[in-house]
Amino acid sequence: MPPASKLSRIRNIGIIAHIDAGKTTVSERILYYTGKSYKIGEVHDGEAVMDWMPQEQERGITITSAVTTCNWGNSEIHIIDTPGHVDFTIEVERSLRVLDGVVVVFCAVGGVEPQSETVWHQADKYGVPKIAFVNKMDRVGADFSRVIEMMRERFSSIPLPVQIPWGQEEKFRGVVDLISRKIITWDEGSKGAKYEFSEIPEDLMAEVEAQREKMLEAVAEVDDEIAEKYLGGEEISEKELLQAIRKATLAVKLVPVMCGTALKNKGIQPVLDAVVNFLPSPEDVPPVRGVHPVTKEESTRISSNKEPLAALAFKVMQDEGRKLTYLRIYSGQMKAGEELYNASKTKKEKASRLLKMHANKRERLEMAGAGDIVAVMGLKETTTGDTICDEANPILLESMEFYEPVISQAIEAKTPADQEKLSLALQKLVEEDPTLRVKYDEETAQTVISGMGELHLDIIIDRLSREFHTHVNVGKPRVVYRETIRKKIDSEGHFERELGDKKHFGHVRLILEPRERGAGVEVDWKIDPALFPAEYLKAIEEGITEALQSGAVAGYPVVDIRVSVAEVLLKEGESSVIGYKVAATSALRDGCNKADPVLLEPIMMVNVITPAEFMGDVIGDINARKGEIQEITPKGAMSEIRARIPLKALFGYSTDLRSATQGRAIFTMQFFTYDQG
């Protein structure tokens, strides 16, 4: 048999779960057993390698995705440990975008919890194959079969237990491997590093055979060759079974499920075996698709070093003031110090250093190729979602969708010295976090930051003071409105004045008409531009544009309006640029005042995915917020509700939705239009 290629031995995986299911504990054990860590770091001691930010260690939660690399057998595994809290969903989303497979961790007591549903659906969206690990089997209330049942009810892929627990709660001793028909036990003295396979005791045999039969039946349903042997009563070898399970896992039909207790060091090594046996290598993943930046023709890249370079920047981080860009290389190779091309920004960039990351420690590389996940220093312009490629063979990979922020907060610097640091610090945080938005409000002289939830903004404000030594006062936000008109109107603007020793004249007649919602601003010239000096026409346009920035009702920008320049009068020797600019501005302002002006508020398109049993409460709440339901789509045990809701009614919505649905509903929202309240 030819030796396996380097690519076929790589696994790019994520570890995803609900908050507190034990995700980081699983990651820490993986690092220990693969020889990456010399001791096991515990989350509750604030010593976890993967949770290295001070905010993570204090709160005992994961906030940022940590990337690390380890070896198991002759395979190289790149792991991303992702956050479980809903406010940091983007970290999971962007990790899933670049990963080939995931390990989903469930708590044996809590079962399928809200955020694990969310991350599962996110993985489905990207078609990512999964294996599952039921953790905390030693806890009171642990119930493996109940977790399997919950998975069956809530997910479209079929859970396939390839192990069953040997005992539960305090009687949990080890696991039974249904594929090899062996019991696996761990040596507690070696912190679980030593483990052994032994024969199944007689009293367990009947249950093991019954469970193995169920497993074979499930595999036979999705694999014709296994079905033939199974129905014919033939013996199915371990190798055939592993191949069939791998095939079904890659096709996202089955999800192999294992169990153990990470805290007590039991069950982790078989998970690593399953990562190698069942999850895809970059070679197993379909070629990545993109378009040519100029011709817009679709093109693909196979995962190979021989193909032209194609990589996606999926994360940007500030590290001691220097910018680190994380890239997933889909095809081709890159070398340290070479020039790269950013197809999204059409700019050349230089990769001064390539680094293989181990959480926040690193190892320098001279070269990286297809299938690698690396951090690059020196990419000044690159932001999350950008494509890095070969300039001679450019490709634009599908960018990443970011959620619109749902909560805003006004902040202001405490001292003038803080003010200088604040804008620089926020600029760096925005580069790092695409769900953080920053806007300076001229009227209130406040900076408004918007994010995914209260915890998200809390962490941002904490990081401002800790990492950037910037102290801020925190206030409340405001909704930004727009204005428009409801009547067609004819309006004249006249300017005639002597300034200094020069006369200035300008006379403009405008016709203002309302346009339909979302149509924007249109400036229409009903005069023959050839008859007038170009600088006067430019001055008229500038006057109109400036006047549109501040409407008649409350000084908000004016939208959805057609401004037609109907007449321009000239006066020999007196016509001037200032004259026409002022005349155009006053014509537009007067016209807006008379044209029945009205305030428009932002309306958001909100998508709520909720378990069907809470649908009535969710719809009732949307109606109470003056929302309009657009459509309701059943999705198995879940239902998707699309509704248009005014933004002002959405403050605090994430908290209300969580409490109305036991935290099981998720929602995304994006700006839809401005309309009358």
Side-chain angles (χ1 to χ4, degrees):
M1 227 175 102
S5 68
K6 178 181 181 291
L7 262 183
S8 69
R9 297 198 308 270
I10 290 178
R11 298 288 180 275
N12 287 314
I13 64 156
I15 298 182
I16 61 177
H18 183 84
I19 194 162
D20 274 351
K23 215 169 41 304
T24 302
T25 310
V26 170
S27 306
E28 294 297 323
R29 297 306 181 277
I30 288 175
L31 298 184
Y32 182 67
Y33 299 137
T34 56
K36 268 287 164 189
S37 301
Y38 299 109
K39 69 171 197 157
I40 297 175
E42 300 296 6
V43 178
H44 52 260
D45 298 334
E47 285 184 355
V49 174
M50 301 296 264
D51 283 353
W52 53 272
M53 285 172 73
Q55 293 86 347
E56 295 179 310
Q57 291 170 352
E58 281 167 20
R59 291 170 170 82
I61 59 167
T62 303
I63 292 167
T64 173
S65 313
V67 181
T68 194
T69 303
C70 58
N71 295 304
W72 185 247
N74 66 350
S75 294
E76 185 178 295
I77 304 174
H78 304 155
I79 301 171
I80 299 186
D81 174 32
T82 62
H85 196 287
V86 67
D87 283 10
F88 307 104
T89 302
I90 184 62
E91 285 287 338
V92 184
E93 182 94 12
R94 62 178 167 190
S95 302
L96 287 170
R97 171 73 173 80
V98 298
L99 290 170
D100 302 332
V102 288
V103 178
V104 190
V105 180
F106 293 101
C107 168
V109 184
V112 178
E113 294 169 284
Q115 192 61 11
S116 43
E117 278 184 55
T118 307
V119 292
W120 190 285
H121 292 309
Q122 282 173 313
D124 280 347
K125 174 171 142 187
Y126 292 113
V128 180
K130 300 169 272 296
I131 61 175
F133 177 67
V134 179
N135 191 22
K136 307 191 181 185
M137 283 305 307
D138 58 324
R139 290 265 296 273
V140 175
D143 188 340
F144 183 70
S145 50
R146 184 176 141 269
V147 179
I148 298 291
E149 213 36 62
M150 286 175 89
M151 288 170 75
R152 276 208 180 93
E153 279 169 21
R154 296 192 186 171
F155 303 135
S156 52
S157 357
I158 301 160
L160 180 80
V162 291
Q163 293 178 346
I164 56 169
W166 182 18
Q168 280 189 163
E169 299 183 346
E170 73 279 2
K171 293 197 180 96
F172 179 71
R173 294 159 69 187
V175 301
V176 180
D177 182 5
L178 298 176
I179 297 173
S180 65
R181 285 194 179 98
K182 290 274 194 291
I183 265 189
I184 313 172
T185 48
W186 281 264
D187 167 39
E188 292 188 16
S190 68
K191 288 191 176 167
K194 291 181 184 159
Y195 58 106
E196 59 178 23
F197 290 79
S198 50
E199 294 307 317
I200 296 167
E202 243 352 274
D203 59 334
L204 261 184
M205 214 57 190
E207 194 199 340
V208 171
E209 285 308 318
Q211 293 294 345
R212 193 170 193 273
E213 201 61 27
K214 277 188 188 171
M215 176 185 76
L216 291 173
E217 215 170 282
V219 178
E221 275 181 27
V222 294
D223 189 290
D224 295 345
E225 286 173 32
I226 298 288
E228 224 171 278
K229 289 196 161 193
Y230 177 68
L231 294 170
E234 291 177 54
E235 184 60 36
I236 298 162
S237 73
E238 198 177 314
K239 189 180 169 193
E240 286 172 317
L241 198 48
L242 287 171
Q243 281 174 345
I245 295 172
R246 177 180 179 80
K247 203 166 108 189
T249 307
L250 298 188
V252 201
K253 288 178 180 168
L254 295 177
V255 178
V257 187
M258 282 150 292
C259 60
T261 163
L263 197 59
K264 298 280 171 64
N265 311 315
K266 292 175 183 171
I268 300 300
Q269 292 92 340
V271 171
L272 285 162
D273 290 336
V275 164
V276 174
N277 289 335
F278 304 137
L279 290 181
S281 76
E283 286 185 338
D284 298 313
V285 177
V288 66
R289 293 176 175 279
V291 294
H292 190 287
V294 182
T295 63
K296 301 294 177 215
E297 279 176 27
E298 192 172 292
S299 57
T300 56
R301 292 278 191 277
I302 297 161
S303 193
S304 156
N305 287 345
K306 296 188 176 81
E307 287 265 303
L309 176 67
L312 185 77
F314 68 96
K315 183 177 168 69
V316 172
M317 258 182 76
Q318 298 301 325
D319 184 66
E320 293 168 3
R322 286 180 301 183
K323 183 172 160 184
L324 270 184
T325 309
Y326 284 85
L327 296 181
R328 160 70 199 264
I329 305 172
Y330 286 101
S331 63
Q333 292 179 311
M334 62 171 67
K335 295 185 185 75
E338 80 172 335
E339 202 171 71
L340 303 169
Y341 180 64
N342 181 331
S344 311
K345 302 265 193 309
T346 62
K347 290 203 169 152
K348 289 179 182 179
E349 292 267 46
K350 190 167 183 184
S352 55
R353 280 187 191 179
L354 295 183
L355 304 163
K356 184 173 275 191
M357 298 304 287
H358 174 44
N360 63 337
K361 298 183 181 68
R362 63 196 58 159
E363 177 191 326
R364 284 183 75 161
L365 295 173
E366 284 311 306
M367 193 170 184
D372 284 339
I373 291 179
V374 291
V376 184
M377 270 186 175
L379 305 184
K380 292 190 174 68
E381 306 281 341
T382 304
T383 52
T384 303
D386 284 0
T387 302
I388 300 290
C389 62
D390 173 12
E391 195 175 359
N393 297 280
I395 187 171
L396 253 185
L397 303 175
E398 185 192 341
S399 189
M400 296 160 79
E401 281 178 28
F402 301 123
Y403 298 109
E404 283 303 310
V406 294
I407 280 184
S408 306
Q409 233 169 357
I411 58 171
E412 57 191 20
K414 284 191 175 173
T415 66
D418 284 328
Q419 183 57 50
E420 277 178 37
K421 289 191 270 183
L422 180 63
S423 50
L424 195 66
L426 286 172
Q427 187 187 333
K428 288 186 171 179
L429 287 169
V430 167
E431 270 189 3
E432 208 175 286
D433 182 350
T435 55
L436 174 68
R437 306 286 162 83
V438 175
K439 193 163 150 286
Y440 184 71
D441 190 331
E442 296 283 349
E443 289 174 38
T444 59
Q446 285 177 322
T447 302
V448 178
I449 58 171
S450 312
M452 296 302 295
E454 285 150 273
L455 178 64
H456 184 195
L457 295 185
D458 187 29
I459 299 282
I460 293 294
I461 289 159
D462 189 30
R463 288 186 66 192
L464 281 174
S465 75
R466 260 195 232 212
E467 279 173 50
F468 300 97
H469 312 295
T470 308
H471 303 287
V472 293
N473 296 317
V474 180
K476 285 195 174 165
R478 296 167 40 172
V479 173
V480 178
Y481 294 90
R482 293 282 183 268
E483 298 185 19
T484 193
I485 58 169
R486 288 187 284 196
K487 259 175 30 187
K488 184 175 176 180
I489 207 102
D490 212 307
S491 176
E492 292 192 39
H494 184 83
F495 182 82
E496 199 165 0
R497 195 174 294 173
E498 203 167 307
L499 298 170
D501 54 358
K502 189 176 179 335
K503 285 186 174 178
H504 292 272
F505 172 84
H507 186 100
V508 178
R509 183 165 68 85
L510 303 177
I511 299 167
L512 311 184
E513 298 169 79
R515 297 183 76 197
E516 60 194 56
R517 290 291 159 267
V521 173
E522 185 189 336
V523 178
D524 185 23
W525 299 87
K526 293 204 179 297
I527 56 167
D528 182 353
L531 302 175
F532 301 91
E535 64 266 29
Y536 294 167
L537 300 181
K538 190 172 178 238
I540 291 168
E541 196 161 355
E542 278 175 11
I544 291 169
T545 306
E546 272 179 35
L548 287 171
Q549 294 311 306
S550 171
V553 184
Y556 288 107
V558 180
V559 295
D560 302 341
I561 182 174
R562 179 179 291 110
V563 181
S564 304
V565 182
E567 191 180 6
V568 176
L569 298 182
L570 291 170
K571 204 171 198 182
E572 194 65 45
E574 291 183 20
S575 288
S576 74
V577 167
I578 294 174
Y580 288 109
K581 187 172 177 180
V582 176
T585 302
S586 64
L588 196 120
R589 290 217 167 116
D590 290 351
C592 281
N593 270 320
K594 295 174 196 157
D596 198 3
V598 64
L599 208 56
L600 300 177
E601 63 177 332
I603 308 291
M604 312 302 277
M605 181 61 83
V606 179
N607 265 36
V608 183
I609 295 177
T610 174
E613 66 258 37
F614 301 115
M615 204 163 75
D617 295 344
V618 173
I619 290 171
D621 184 51
I622 289 171
N623 291 334
R625 291 170 196 270
K626 296 190 175 166
E628 285 175 33
I629 306 281
Q630 300 299 306
E631 61 176 318
I632 298 170
T633 317
K635 292 187 167 183
M638 309 293 279
S639 290
E640 183 176 7
I641 302 165
R642 280 168 67 79
R644 292 176 194 166
I645 309 175
L647 176 62
K648 68 176 180 216
L650 284 166
F651 285 114
Y653 184 57
S654 53
T655 314
D656 294 349
L657 182 69
R658 277 179 225 168
S659 53
T661 61
Q662 296 170 10
R664 282 172 56 198
I666 58 162
F667 85 103
T668 57
M669 71 176 191
Q670 54 194 44
F671 172 75
F672 176 65
T673 187
Y674 276 97
D675 212 340
Q676 281 173 254

